[in-house]
Amino acid sequence: MATLKLIIPPETFRLKPVSNSVLNSASNPLLETQRLVVKIGSALLVDPDTGTLRTGWLESICADISGLKAKGIEVIIVSSGSIALGRKRLGLTGQRLSLAQKQACAAAGQSQLTHAYERELEKYKIITAQALLTLNDTESRRRWLNARLTLQTLLELSAVPIINENDTVATDEIRYGDNDRLAARTAQMLGADTLILLSDIDGLYTSDPRLSEAAKHLPLITDLTPEILAMGGSANANAQVGTGGMATKLLAAKIAVDAGCDMCVMDGTQNHPLKRLQNGAKKSWFKAKENPLNARRQWIKGSLKPKGKLQIDAGAAKALANGKSLLAAGVTATQGQYFKGDAVSIYNVDGTELARGLIAYSAYETHAILGLKSAEIARVLGYENSAVIIHRDNMVLMT
Ligand code: GLU
C-alpha cells in the first residue's frame, strides 16, 4: 500500500509578527543574530591582478564563520566569483566576454568556488551545500516555496548553504546579474535577521567619496527615503570583477528592511571581515522595519520582475489606498503575458506604480473582462475565478 507523506504547508514556518532587528539594544549585533546571510563579492574572493582565489582571505572568513556557528548562529553564504575564477581557468582574462563565454566561465569557476568553501569549512567539520538559483526560482511563488523548504532543511541539518546565481543557464533578460539583490531575496526567503554585504566600500555616503571630499559617511539608516535611495547613483564599486554598485545595495536594503532584516554594508577586503565587524569596523547599518509585512506581502513587494502591468482609473486607485481589493471595473488597460497567480504591477493613469499583487486571472482573461462589473465576469468568460481581479490579501501598496 502506498504510504502517505505529511506535507507541512511551507507558509507556516518562521512568520514573524514583529521585526527581528538586532540593532535595538545590542552593542554587538552579530552576537544577537540567529540567522545570518553573508554576501561575499567577487572583488574580495578573487585577486583582480592574477584572477586567482585570495586563499588567505577565504581562510580568514571561514574561521570567522566557524566562530559564529559555534555560538549557534545559522549562516548562509551568498558568494560571487564564479565568472571571475572561470575567466582565469579558461584563459579568457583581459577581454570583454560574450554571454555564452560568461556562462562558460561561470560553469568552470563555480565548481572551483564551491570546492574552495568546502575545503576551508571542512576544517571546522562544517558541511557545505551548493544551491544555484535563477531569477525564476525566486520570482515564481511555487518555486520560491520549494527553494525555501530545501534551504530551511539544510539549515536544520546544520549545513552552510553556499548560494550563487546559476549564471550558466541564466540569460541577460532573466537574470539577477548582481548578488546583492539575490542575497536580500535569500535573507527574506529564510526569515534571516541579519544580512551583511561584504564589499570593497565601507558603507553609504551622501555622495561618491571617490569624487567628492564633502561626502559624508552614514553609519545608520533607519528610513529608506527617496533622498537616501538617490545616493546610490549608478556607481560601480569595482567594475573589474564585480557587478554590484551602491545602487543594487540600496535595492537589496529595501527588500531586507521590509522583511524585518537588518542589513550591513562594509568593506570586507581585509582578513577576518566578520571579526572586524564585531570589533567595530566602519560600516553602514540599514535598520529593519519594526512591523515587517507578512511573508506573502514581502515576497510580492520584493518581486524583481512582475510579469505584467495593469492600469487603473482614479476610483480604483482611491479604493486601493483605502485597503480595498481591485475589481475588473477599475482596470483600464493590461500589458504583459501573465497567468493566474503571477505578480503584476498596478499603475495609475500618470504611470506611478501604486501597488503590486497576485492576479486571479491570466492576461488573456483580464483583457476580456477589463472594465466589467464583477457580476458580468461569468457571463463573458463562462466561469469566474474570483469576484475581484486582485484580492487585498494578495496586494501590497508601493507608495
Ligand atoms: N554571480 C556572479 C558570479 O558569481 C557575480 C554577480 C555579482 O558580482 O554580484 O560571478
Side-chain angles (χ1 to χ4, degrees):
M1 202 178 81
T3 48
L4 286 179
K5 268 196 199 154
L6 178 67
I7 299 178
I8 302 165
E11 284 288 5
T12 55
F13 53 20
R14 280 186 81 91
L15 292 189
K16 297 160 297 161
V18 290
S19 169
N20 279 339
S21 180
V22 292
L23 291 175
N24 289 335
S25 53
S27 57
N28 194 342
L30 263 199
L31 294 184
E32 302 289 315
T33 295
Q34 288 174 9
R35 187 169 283 183
L36 169 71
V37 175
V38 184
K39 182 257 171 175
I40 299 175
S42 308
L44 309 179
L45 261 180
V46 184
D47 187 316
D49 299 324
T50 61
T52 53
L53 204 62
R54 294 177 67 216
T55 20
W57 184 87
L58 182 65
E59 273 171 36
S60 81
I61 192 166
C62 288
D64 292 355
I65 289 172
S66 96
L68 295 173
K69 287 274 292 170
K71 293 195 167 69
I73 299 169
E74 294 170 320
V75 181
I76 298 109
I77 298 175
V78 175
S79 181
S80 309
S82 67
I83 298 177
L85 286 172
R87 265 180 180 269
K88 171 81 177 171
R89 284 190 90 188
L90 295 176
L92 291 172
T93 45
Q95 56 179 282
R96 237 187 116 76
L97 301 179
S98 68
L99 178 61
Q101 282 172 326
K102 268 192 218 159
Q103 294 182 301
C105 288
Q110 184 61 40
S111 54
Q112 197 183 0
L113 186 65
T114 310
H115 180 63
Y117 282 108
E118 193 175 289
R119 196 182 53 223
E120 285 313 317
L121 287 169
E122 218 162 49
K123 292 182 186 164
Y124 305 96
K125 307 222 172 337
I126 295 173
I127 314 271
T128 51
Q130 172 183 269
L132 299 180
L133 299 177
T134 59
L135 191 67
N136 283 337
D137 294 318
T138 59
E139 302 312 290
S140 134
R141 186 82 187 142
R142 180 165 292 278
R143 290 172 74 155
W144 162 276
L145 295 173
N146 282 339
R148 182 162 81 164
L149 205 48
T150 307
L151 293 172
Q152 176 86 22
T153 305
L154 284 168
L155 292 177
E156 275 161 18
L157 296 168
S158 246
V160 171
I162 313 277
I163 297 176
N164 195 1
E165 182 161 19
N166 194 348
D167 293 306
T168 300
V169 296
T171 52
D172 269 345
E173 321 77 73
I174 49 155
R175 72 193 282 262
Y176 273 90
D178 66 271
N179 278 0
D180 296 327
R181 290 175 307 155
L182 175 63
R185 278 296 242 177
T186 303
Q188 180 198 23
M189 179 188 276
L190 292 171
D193 47 44
T194 311
L195 166 63
I196 298 175
L197 301 182
L198 293 178
S199 162
D200 54 2
I201 181 147
D202 54 14
L204 182 67
Y205 286 79
T206 48
S207 54
D208 190 335
R210 293 164 302 184
L211 305 176
S212 153
E213 277 185 19
K216 211 174 131 246
H217 180 262
L218 301 174
L220 178 66
I221 295 98
T222 51
D223 195 7
L224 286 171
T225 58
E227 294 74 39
I228 294 279
L229 293 173
M231 287 171 197
S234 57
N236 201 327
N238 188 335
Q240 272 290 304
V241 284
T243 44
M246 197 41 85
T248 54
K249 291 179 178 50
L250 287 169
L251 293 173
K254 263 176 90 170
I255 297 172
V257 302
D258 272 338
C261 175
D262 294 311
M263 189 184 104
C264 169
V265 176
M266 73 170 277
D267 181 356
T269 337
Q270 287 182 41
N271 284 359
H272 293 291
L274 300 178
K275 214 173 251 169
R276 290 184 57 251
L277 176 62
Q278 293 182 67
N279 292 337
K282 195 169 176 185
K283 72 262 161 188
S284 291
W285 276 107
F286 295 81
K287 193 173 181 314
K289 283 204 179 138
E290 289 302 332
N291 293 305
L293 300 167
N294 71 29
R296 182 200 289 267
R297 286 203 161 108
Q298 281 173 29
W299 181 80
I300 297 171
K301 190 166 183 192
S303 62
L304 303 180
K305 294 216 167 134
K307 294 267 164 47
K309 285 182 179 178
L310 300 181
Q311 192 188 61
I312 61 172
D313 63 23
K318 205 163 150 209
L320 257 50
N322 289 327
K324 299 276 182 352
S325 298
L326 179 65
L327 304 175
V331 182
T332 50
T334 161
Q335 215 183 63
Q337 275 308 319
Y338 50 85
F339 296 96
K340 179 183 167 190
D342 281 343
V344 298
S345 290
I346 303 164
Y347 290 81
N348 67 9
V349 274
D350 307 332
T352 308
E353 188 182 21
L354 300 177
R356 282 185 192 179
L358 302 180
I359 193 156
Y361 291 92
S362 69
Y364 180 74
E365 292 165 328
T366 305
H367 197 75
I369 60 175
L370 280 185
L372 295 187
K373 292 217 172 67
S374 301
E376 292 173 316
I377 293 179
R379 182 179 56 76
V380 173
L381 295 180
Y383 54 86
E384 182 196 89
N385 292 348
S386 154
V388 298
I389 283 239
I390 300 180
H391 193 274
R392 59 186 181 168
D393 290 348
N394 291 330
M395 187 155 44
V396 52
L397 298 180
M398 299 298 282
T399 43

